[in-house]
PDB file of all heavy atoms in Angstrom:
ATOM      1  N   ALA Z 400     -96.890-195.205-130.777  1.00  0.00           N
ATOM      2  CA  ALA Z 400     -95.872-194.778-129.820  1.00  0.00           C
ATOM      3  C   ALA Z 400     -96.431-194.454-128.439  1.00  0.00           C
ATOM      4  O   ALA Z 400     -95.693-194.531-127.447  1.00  0.00           O
ATOM      5  CB  ALA Z 400     -95.145-193.545-130.370  1.00  0.00           C
ATOM      6  N   TRP Z 401     -97.703-194.082-128.370  1.00  0.00           N
ATOM      7  CA  TRP Z 401     -98.260-193.502-127.133  1.00  0.00           C
ATOM      8  C   TRP Z 401     -99.681-193.961-126.920  1.00  0.00           C
ATOM      9  O   TRP Z 401    -100.507-193.921-127.829  1.00  0.00           O
ATOM     10  CB  TRP Z 401     -98.197-191.981-127.253  1.00  0.00           C
ATOM     11  CG  TRP Z 401     -98.783-191.194-126.135  1.00  0.00           C
ATOM     12  CD1 TRP Z 401     -98.372-191.151-124.836  1.00  0.00           C
ATOM     13  CD2 TRP Z 401     -99.899-190.291-126.217  1.00  0.00           C
ATOM     14  NE1 TRP Z 401     -99.153-190.277-124.110  1.00  0.00           N
ATOM     15  CE2 TRP Z 401    -100.096-189.742-124.938  1.00  0.00           C
ATOM     16  CE3 TRP Z 401    -100.740-189.894-127.263  1.00  0.00           C
ATOM     17  CZ2 TRP Z 401    -101.098-188.816-124.668  1.00  0.00           C
ATOM     18  CZ3 TRP Z 401    -101.741-188.984-126.996  1.00  0.00           C
ATOM     19  CH2 TRP Z 401    -101.917-188.444-125.709  1.00  0.00           C
ATOM     20  N   ASP Z 402     -99.973-194.439-125.708  1.00  0.00           N
ATOM     21  CA  ASP Z 402    -101.317-194.865-125.341  1.00  0.00           C
ATOM     22  C   ASP Z 402    -102.027-193.673-124.694  1.00  0.00           C
ATOM     23  O   ASP Z 402    -101.829-193.387-123.505  1.00  0.00           O
ATOM     24  CB  ASP Z 402    -101.239-196.046-124.376  1.00  0.00           C
ATOM     25  CG  ASP Z 402    -102.603-196.665-124.073  1.00  0.00           C
ATOM     26  OD1 ASP Z 402    -103.585-195.912-123.960  1.00  0.00           O
ATOM     27  OD2 ASP Z 402    -102.672-197.895-123.942  1.00  0.00           O
ATOM     28  N   ALA Z 403    -102.854-192.997-125.473  1.00  0.00           N
ATOM     29  CA  ALA Z 403    -103.519-191.787-124.991  1.00  0.00           C
ATOM     30  C   ALA Z 403    -104.429-192.080-123.805  1.00  0.00           C
ATOM     31  O   ALA Z 403    -104.525-191.283-122.873  1.00  0.00           O
ATOM     32  CB  ALA Z 403    -104.326-191.143-126.119  1.00  0.00           C
ATOM     33  N   GLY Z 404    -105.090-193.234-123.814  1.00  0.00           N
ATOM     34  CA  GLY Z 404    -106.001-193.573-122.728  1.00  0.00           C
ATOM     35  C   GLY Z 404    -105.297-193.703-121.398  1.00  0.00           C
ATOM     36  O   GLY Z 404    -105.776-193.190-120.373  1.00  0.00           O
ATOM     37  N   ARG Z 405    -104.157-194.372-121.385  1.00  0.00           N
ATOM     38  CA  ARG Z 405    -103.408-194.530-120.135  1.00  0.00           C
ATOM     39  C   ARG Z 405    -102.918-193.185-119.616  1.00  0.00           C
ATOM     40  O   ARG Z 405    -102.977-192.907-118.415  1.00  0.00           O
ATOM     41  CB  ARG Z 405    -102.217-195.463-120.352  1.00  0.00           C
ATOM     42  CG  ARG Z 405    -102.576-196.935-120.448  1.00  0.00           C
ATOM     43  CD  ARG Z 405    -101.324-197.787-120.384  1.00  0.00           C
ATOM     44  NE  ARG Z 405    -101.645-199.205-120.319  1.00  0.00           N
ATOM     45  CZ  ARG Z 405    -100.759-200.143-120.026  1.00  0.00           C
ATOM     46  NH1 ARG Z 405     -99.498-199.811-119.778  1.00  0.00           N
ATOM     47  NH2 ARG Z 405    -101.131-201.410-119.981  1.00  0.00           N
ATOM     48  N   CYS Z 406    -102.424-192.372-120.531  1.00  0.00           N
ATOM     49  CA  CYS Z 406    -101.887-191.066-120.136  1.00  0.00           C
ATOM     50  C   CYS Z 406    -102.993-190.180-119.571  1.00  0.00           C
ATOM     51  O   CYS Z 406    -102.875-189.640-118.464  1.00  0.00           O
ATOM     52  CB  CYS Z 406    -101.220-190.399-121.336  1.00  0.00           C
ATOM     53  SG  CYS Z 406    -100.514-188.775-120.978  1.00  0.00           S
ATOM     54  N   THR Z 407    -104.064-190.020-120.315  1.00  0.00           N
ATOM     55  CA  THR Z 407    -105.124-189.111-119.878  1.00  0.00           C
ATOM     56  C   THR Z 407    -105.827-189.618-118.623  1.00  0.00           C
ATOM     57  O   THR Z 407    -106.280-188.814-117.798  1.00  0.00           O
ATOM     58  CB  THR Z 407    -106.144-188.880-121.008  1.00  0.00           C
ATOM     59  OG1 THR Z 407    -106.658-190.141-121.457  1.00  0.00           O
ATOM     60  CG2 THR Z 407    -105.497-188.162-122.181  1.00  0.00           C
ATOM     61  N   ASP Z 408    -105.926-190.941-118.461  1.00  0.00           N
ATOM     62  CA  ASP Z 408    -106.532-191.480-117.253  1.00  0.00           C
ATOM     63  C   ASP Z 408    -105.754-191.066-116.011  1.00  0.00           C
ATOM     64  O   ASP Z 408    -106.335-190.667-114.995  1.00  0.00           O
ATOM     65  CB  ASP Z 408    -106.611-193.006-117.342  1.00  0.00           C
ATOM     66  CG  ASP Z 408    -107.275-193.616-116.110  1.00  0.00           C
ATOM     67  OD1 ASP Z 408    -108.483-193.410-115.923  1.00  0.00           O
ATOM     68  OD2 ASP Z 408    -106.566-194.280-115.333  1.00  0.00           O
ATOM     69  N   LEU Z 409    -104.423-191.134-116.097  1.00  0.00           N
ATOM     70  CA  LEU Z 409    -103.591-190.729-114.958  1.00  0.00           C
ATOM     71  C   LEU Z 409    -103.716-189.227-114.708  1.00  0.00           C
ATOM     72  O   LEU Z 409    -103.830-188.775-113.558  1.00  0.00           O
ATOM     73  CB  LEU Z 409    -102.132-191.095-115.216  1.00  0.00           C
ATOM     74  CG  LEU Z 409    -101.148-190.731-114.094  1.00  0.00           C
ATOM     75  CD1 LEU Z 409    -101.422-191.567-112.845  1.00  0.00           C
ATOM     76  CD2 LEU Z 409     -99.707-190.928-114.547  1.00  0.00           C
ATOM     77  N   LEU Z 410    -103.718-188.448-115.785  1.00  0.00           N
ATOM     78  CA  LEU Z 410    -103.815-186.994-115.632  1.00  0.00           C
ATOM     79  C   LEU Z 410    -105.143-186.588-114.990  1.00  0.00           C
ATOM     80  O   LEU Z 410    -105.176-185.737-114.097  1.00  0.00           O
ATOM     81  CB  LEU Z 410    -103.674-186.305-116.994  1.00  0.00           C
ATOM     82  CG  LEU Z 410    -102.359-186.475-117.744  1.00  0.00           C
ATOM     83  CD1 LEU Z 410    -102.372-185.625-119.013  1.00  0.00           C
ATOM     84  CD2 LEU Z 410    -101.171-186.112-116.886  1.00  0.00           C
ATOM     85  N   ILE Z 411    -106.221-187.198-115.439  1.00  0.00           N
ATOM     86  CA  ILE Z 411    -107.546-186.803-114.960  1.00  0.00           C
ATOM     87  C   ILE Z 411    -107.821-187.330-113.554  1.00  0.00           C
ATOM     88  O   ILE Z 411    -108.309-186.597-112.682  1.00  0.00           O
ATOM     89  CB  ILE Z 411    -108.631-187.296-115.939  1.00  0.00           C
ATOM     90  CG1 ILE Z 411    -108.505-186.557-117.276  1.00  0.00           C
ATOM     91  CG2 ILE Z 411    -110.028-187.090-115.352  1.00  0.00           C
ATOM     92  CD1 ILE Z 411    -109.361-187.139-118.387  1.00  0.00           C
TER      93      ILE Z 411
END
Side-chain angles (χ1 to χ4, degrees):
W401 177 64
D402 187 322
R405 284 191 173 192
C406 180
T407 55
D408 182 68
L409 180 67
L410 297 185
I411 293 170

